[in-house]
Amino acid sequence: MRILIVNTSENTGGAAVAANRLMVALNNNGEKAKMLVRDKQTENISVIAMPQGWHQQWNFLWERWCIFWRMHFSRKHLFEVDIANAGWDITKTPEFQEADVIHLHWVNQGMLSLKGIRKILRSGKPVVWTMHDLWPATAICHYARGCQYYKTRCGHCQLLPGGGSKNDLSVQIWNRKASMLRAGNIFFVTCSKWLEGEARQSALLKGQQVTTIPNAIDTRVFRPMDKKEARRKMGLPEQGNIILFVSQRVTDERKGISYLIEAVKHLVADDPSLQENTSIAILGGHAEEVAHQLCLPVHALGYVNDEQTIVSVYNAADVFVTPSLEDNLPNTIMESLACGVPCVGFAVGGIPEMIDHKKNGYVAACRQSDDLAKGLRWVLLEADKESLHQQALHKVSLNYSQSRVALRYVEVYHQVIAQKQFML
């Protein structure tokens, strides 16, 4: 079977990493998968880039300009919404024409327009769309932030100036998406049961098929290694506890760094001796902007894109903390667990599906920094470390292995192909 995976980037961002790993998993399982991207970053011959040039930048810039104008020239939420008014026509590519299934992933910021997706649907090709956030089920936002309008019809968007109106930009894009979906059926896949539940409540996706398949991870790459060796490689202290925090942009409010800062204050207040033997490693950009607010020593590792280095970072840690306020099925938790490192996070999104409370980590009450601190303390000072390690590895083997995820997707591909043939 020939599958064409479509994503904006080859490697940048969680969706890109997940899509790339799925391509590898499918090919390892005997299928013929390729990836079509706007931004190619490696020499992988299975990844095809759209033609480079002015058109590539134009799609991105034109969409941002239109949003900027509708935001009354405010940058506040400029990159939190997408309207997909510009993008490539991928139906003309040889890869599209030879594919048996078109598998969309994160296709925003100038990769595909709504018009382009409508053309894909009208081509007659079976289409699967993996949702890495809520955008396919809403008008313009990727995370609802408590808004309920998408369950009936978007409007009065909180991300627009003045809270929007009954005929604002979100209404216009909602209508365009509804029209697009009338062009043909899409089989939607979510990475977490939480997101599946949210998607099923969307009025936009009423009547569409939705199921859950988690992301895959290559356990030959993400695996346990000697902790001291990992710390030496990363220039981290060989002795003492290390708490790891990872975010592409550390200052992203959604990733909850402010709650980690408060949790560390609680942790140190309860046990001041931790200041002598515990530090925090931060993997991601802009760490220097928050380091001074954490009352434990901080090791700013910067933004890293090399997998082997990332594996060493996880293995250097005693616990991985993810205080995200909204998240689907974070690759970071999966990566940490695959390295045998327990995780602590809030009970939001798909996180409780990954962290089994007091088995492979600790699930803290949402936005409760004192409970986050309690979880960190439990992992570092109270829990059976070997049991946590083994439970972490077992969780990944049981749920996120390449072969298991690939087989589940192959079942979906066969199902959509059969449905398409039946309709013909």
Side-chain angles (χ1 to χ4, degrees):
M1 188 188 313
R2 293 162 297 186
I3 304 107
L4 182 63
I5 293 172
V6 185
N7 198 77
T8 301
S9 171
E10 178 184 0
N11 280 327
T12 302
V17 170
N20 202 306
R21 288 174 179 170
L22 176 61
M23 177 186 69
V24 173
L26 289 167
N27 285 324
N28 288 344
N29 199 58
E31 309 300 333
K32 297 178 180 178
K34 293 182 178 180
M35 192 168 171
L36 185 65
V37 301
R38 185 194 70 186
D39 304 326
K40 180 172 178 174
Q41 289 124 338
T42 73
E43 298 301 317
N44 190 338
I45 60 173
S46 295
V47 180
I48 297 91
M50 295 303 294
Q52 304 297 297
W54 68 269
H55 193 268
Q56 179 190 29
Q57 288 299 316
W58 171 253
N59 289 339
F60 172 77
L61 293 173
W62 175 244
E63 182 184 24
R64 286 311 111 187
W65 167 254
C66 292
I67 295 171
F68 192 41
W69 177 61
R70 299 301 289 265
M71 293 283 191
H72 299 171
F73 305 106
S74 167
R75 294 177 58 89
K76 186 176 182 182
H77 300 299
L78 182 58
F79 289 95
E80 296 175 40
V81 303
D82 281 289
I83 60 175
N85 63 331
W88 298 96
D89 177 5
I90 68 170
T91 64
K92 297 177 181 178
T93 65
E95 292 77 20
F96 181 92
Q97 292 168 9
E98 71 182 16
D100 298 307
V101 177
I102 307 302
H103 191 163
L104 307 182
H105 282 256
W106 201 89
V107 292
N108 298 112
Q109 298 191 358
M111 181 61 194
L112 295 182
S113 65
L114 298 181
K115 181 180 178 181
I117 298 173
R118 184 187 296 112
K119 193 166 184 179
I120 292 169
L121 293 173
R122 287 178 174 169
S123 73
K125 297 270 188 180
V127 179
V128 174
W129 194 344
T130 292
M131 295 173 57
H132 294 277
D133 54 41
L134 203 52
W135 187 80
T138 69
I140 63 176
C141 71
H142 292 268
Y143 289 91
R145 298 171 182 262
C147 175
Q148 302 293 308
Y149 280 112
Y150 74 96
K151 296 179 180 180
T152 51
R153 182 173 179 266
C154 282
H156 300 282
C157 182
Q158 60 184 322
L159 299 179
L160 296 175
S165 67
K166 65 178 181 180
N167 293 308
D168 62 20
L169 178 63
S170 69
V171 175
Q172 297 167 31
I173 303 303
W174 177 278
N175 291 337
R176 292 176 194 171
K177 281 189 172 180
S179 175
M180 173 196 78
L181 289 170
R182 286 195 289 271
N185 290 329
I186 299 177
F187 195 113
F188 288 93
V189 176
T190 63
C191 303
S192 68
K193 293 177 182 177
W194 164 78
L195 189 57
E196 179 183 351
E198 297 291 299
R200 287 186 179 279
Q201 295 181 71
S202 168
L204 195 62
L205 300 191
K206 187 176 181 180
Q208 300 284 349
Q209 297 179 88
V210 185
T211 193
T212 297
I213 302 176
N215 298 330
I217 191 166
D218 189 345
T219 52
R220 295 169 301 179
V221 176
F222 286 88
R223 58 185 177 83
M225 62 182 289
D226 183 76
K227 189 178 295 295
K228 286 188 176 181
E229 179 186 339
R231 291 186 177 188
R232 282 195 293 268
K233 182 176 179 180
M234 296 311 304
L236 295 169
E238 291 188 25
Q239 303 299 321
N241 301 312
I242 294 180
I243 300 169
L244 175 64
F245 173 77
V246 179
S247 176
Q248 187 173 348
R249 181 167 60 87
V250 173
T251 53
D252 183 349
E253 182 181 344
R254 186 171 60 84
K255 295 300 182 180
I257 186 65
S258 62
Y259 289 90
L260 177 58
I261 292 169
E262 290 302 313
V264 171
K265 289 179 181 177
H266 286 296
L267 197 62
V268 172
D270 291 340
D271 190 347
S273 66
L274 289 173
Q275 288 182 306
E276 305 300 322
N277 63 7
T278 304
S279 59
I280 300 173
I282 299 180
L283 183 64
H286 304 276
E288 66 282 354
E289 297 179 28
V290 301
H292 66 282
Q293 300 179 57
L294 289 154
C295 51
L296 287 174
V298 172
H299 310 283
L301 304 177
Y303 179 76
V304 176
N305 209 23
D306 175 66
E307 273 194 341
Q308 292 300 330
T309 303
I310 293 171
V311 170
S312 294
V313 173
Y314 283 113
N315 275 281
D318 294 284
V319 60
F320 171 69
V321 60
T322 175
S324 290
L325 306 180
E326 289 181 291
D327 232 323
N328 180 16
L329 197 83
N331 288 324
T332 50
I333 295 180
M334 193 181 303
E335 292 164 355
S336 180
L337 293 175
C339 293
V341 178
C343 304
V344 175
F346 286 140
V348 297
I351 290 175
E353 299 171 35
M354 308 181 80
I355 304 176
D356 298 322
H357 188 57
K358 290 196 171 183
K359 290 184 178 180
N360 59 19
Y362 188 99
V363 181
C366 183
R367 297 177 185 261
Q368 299 298 311
S369 56
D370 56 341
D371 200 20
L372 195 69
K374 184 178 178 181
L376 290 169
R377 179 179 176 82
W378 181 80
V379 170
L380 292 174
L381 303 176
E382 301 171 16
D384 182 330
K385 288 182 169 52
E386 181 58 27
S387 176
L388 286 175
H389 177 83
Q390 293 300 328
Q391 286 291 334
L393 298 178
H394 179 68
K395 180 74 173 188
V396 172
S397 174
L398 194 64
N399 295 278
Y400 311 128
S401 69
Q402 282 190 334
S403 58
R404 184 178 294 270
V405 172
L407 286 171
R408 292 185 64 184
Y409 265 112
V410 169
E411 290 176 1
V412 169
Y413 297 150
H414 282 302
Q415 185 176 342
V416 295
I417 289 172
Q419 288 176 349
K420 184 65 68 173
Q421 291 174 342
F422 177 77
M423 291 172 65
L424 295 175

